[in-house]
C-alpha cells in the first residue's frame, strides 16, 4: 500500500466514525426558492436533537483537493422523526455554492451523510416570552423551535417572498426585502415590534451583519442583557460555508 493510499484510507475511517449515512427519501418545493429534503436511514434513528439544532451535511467529496470547506454545509433540522428521518429546507440563492448545488441536484435515492445534531440555538424554557428575528434561512430553525412552544411569541422574519409554513406564523411579522441591507430591514422590523417592557429570550439568526445589528438594537435601545440573546450567523456575503 502506498503512503498516499494509506493516508486516504486512514482519513476515510476517521470520517466514517463521525458521519451517519443517509439517503434522500423525498423532495418538495415548499416555497418558490426553498426545497425540503427528507433524509432517511437507520443511522438517523433516535438521535439527540433539540429543536433549533442543525446538522452538517456532506454535499461533496470529503477527500477532494478542495478539502472539507466545500464538502460540508450546515443546515437546521426543520423536523425530526426518531424512526430515522430528518427534514432540511435549503434556500436557493444566486451565488449558489456546493450546498445549494447539492440541494438543487438532490433526487430520491441519492446518498449522503450527516454529522450528529449540534448547536446552541435552542429554546430557553424559563423565558417569559420568546423573540425570533432572522431571515428565511433562520425560519427553518424557528419553525422547529415554535412547534409546540407555549407562552407569548414575537418575531420578524425577513424574506423575498419565501415564507415557510411556520407554526404560529400569524404572531410574527414578515417584512419583505426592500432593496436595502438585511441589517437595516431586520432592525427596522424588530424596532417596530410591540415587546413587553422586560426582556425575554431572543433567538437571532441569518445574515451575519443583520444578526449583529439586531443584537445591538436589543442591547442598546431596549436594554436587554447580552446573555438573553442567542445569536447564530448562518451566512455572510462573500463568505463560504459558515458553520
Ligand atoms: C447553523 C447554520 C444553520 C443553517 N441552516 C440553514 C437552513 O436551514 N437553510 C439554508 O438554506 N441555509 C442554512 N444555513 C446556510 C448554509 O449552511 C449555507 O451557507 C447556504 O446553503 C449556502 O451554501 P452554498 O454552498 O450554496 O454557498 P457558499 O459557498 O457557502 O457561499 C457562497 C456565497 O453565496 C452567498 N450566500 C450564501 N448564503 C446566502 C443566502 N442565504 N442568501 C443570499 N446569498 C447567500 C454569499 O455571498 C456567499 O459568499 C445554515 C448555516 C448555519 C451556520
Amino acid at each position: 500500500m502506498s503512503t498516499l493510499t494509506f493516508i486516504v484510507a486512514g482519513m476515510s475511517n476517521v470520517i466514517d466514525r463521525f458521519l451517519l449515512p443517509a439517503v434522500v427519501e423525498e423532495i418538495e418545493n415548499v416555497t418558490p426558492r426553498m426545497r425540503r429534503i427528507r433524509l432517511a436511514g437507520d443511522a438517523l434513528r433516535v438521535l439527540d436533537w433539540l429543536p433549533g439544532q442543525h446538522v452538517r451535511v456532506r454535499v461533496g467529496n470529503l477527500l477532494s483537493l478542495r478539502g472539507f470547506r466545500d464538502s460540508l454545509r450546515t443546515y437546521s433540522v426543520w423536523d425530526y422523526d426518531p424512526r430515522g428521518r430528518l427534514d432540511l429546507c435549503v434556500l436557493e440563492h444566486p451565488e449558489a455554492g456546493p450546498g445549494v448545488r447539492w440541494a438543487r441536484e438532490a433526487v430520491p435515492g441519492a446518498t449522503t451523510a450527516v454529522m450528529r445534531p449540534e448547536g446552541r440555538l435552542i429554546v430557553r424554557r424559563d423565558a417569559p416570552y420568546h423573540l425570533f428575528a432572522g431571515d428565511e434561512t433562520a425560519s427553518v430553525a424557528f419553525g422547529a423551535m415554535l412547534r409546540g412552544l407555549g407562552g407569548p411569541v414575537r418575531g420578524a422574519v425577513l424574506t423575498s417572498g419565501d415564507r415557510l409554513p411556520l407554526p404560529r406564523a400569524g404572531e410574527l411579522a414578515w417584512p419583505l426585502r426592500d432593496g436595502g441591507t438585511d441589517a437595516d430591514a431586520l432592525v427596522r422590523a424588530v424596532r417596530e415590534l410591540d415587546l413587553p417592557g422586560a426582556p425575554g429570550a431572543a433567538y437571532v439568526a441569518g445574515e451575519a451583519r443583520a444578526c449583529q445589528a439586531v443584537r445591538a438594537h436589543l442591547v442598546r435601545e431596549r436594554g436587554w442583557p447580552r446573555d438573553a440573546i442567542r445569536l447564530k450567523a448562518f451566512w455572510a456575503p462573500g463568505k463560504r460555508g459558515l458553520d
Side-chain angles (χ1 to χ4, degrees):
M1 193 187 274
S2 74
T3 310
L4 184 61
T5 318
F6 183 74
I7 291 170
V8 169
M11 284 174 72
S12 296
N13 287 339
V14 172
I15 290 164
D16 285 348
R17 281 180 49 198
F18 291 103
L19 285 173
L20 311 171
V23 174
V24 175
E25 188 179 76
E26 191 179 285
I27 295 172
E28 181 193 10
N29 293 321
V30 266
T31 77
R33 291 193 306 152
M34 286 189 108
R35 297 194 104 187
R36 181 180 63 78
I37 300 177
R38 171 163 295 167
L39 301 180
D42 287 344
L44 305 186
R45 290 175 196 266
V46 207
L47 297 176
D48 285 329
W49 170 75
L50 292 172
Q53 289 189 313
H54 56 264
V55 290
R56 287 187 210 181
V57 182
R58 194 188 71 206
V59 297
N61 181 356
L62 286 162
L63 299 177
S64 75
L65 289 177
R66 301 178 72 109
F68 274 133
R69 167 172 287 197
D70 278 343
S71 313
L72 295 170
R73 283 294 180 268
T74 306
Y75 293 102
S76 305
V77 177
W78 166 248
D79 206 357
Y80 175 59
D81 176 345
R83 288 172 297 180
R85 292 192 183 91
L86 58 81
D87 287 1
L88 314 173
C89 294
V90 180
L91 178 77
E92 175 80 30
H93 65 82
E95 292 178 54
V100 165
R101 288 199 298 273
W102 170 80
R104 208 185 264 169
E105 290 160 14
V107 287
T111 55
T112 182
V114 301
M115 291 171 81
R116 291 181 188 281
E118 57 184 319
R120 294 191 298 159
L121 190 73
I122 52 175
V123 168
R124 244 188 58 198
R125 294 281 163 197
D126 58 344
Y129 67 96
H130 305 274
L131 169 64
F132 295 84
D135 61 12
E136 49 292 79
T137 62
S139 71
V140 184
F142 294 169
M145 296 162 84
L146 282 160
R147 220 169 278 130
L149 182 66
V153 161
R154 305 280 195 285
V157 182
L158 182 65
T159 80
S160 301
D162 293 87
R163 282 178 62 159
L164 278 177
L166 257 57
R168 307 184 67 173
E171 295 166 67
L172 309 175
W174 293 85
L176 288 170
R177 285 195 180 83
D178 56 6
T181 66
D182 276 22
D184 287 346
L186 192 59
V187 167
R188 201 178 314 125
V190 174
R191 192 176 279 128
E192 282 171 12
L193 294 176
D194 184 14
L195 301 183
Y203 315 102
V204 183
E207 194 271 323
R209 282 182 193 277
C211 294
Q212 288 157 6
V214 169
R215 178 167 61 191
H217 158 71
L218 292 174
V219 172
R220 292 191 203 137
E221 296 177 37
R222 297 211 192 235
W224 282 46
R226 287 173 79 88
D227 64 7
I229 304 162
R230 294 192 171 166
L231 180 153
K232 182 72 185 159
F234 279 13
W235 65 279
K239 294 248 166 67
R240 283 166 37 200
L242 295 189
D243 61 16

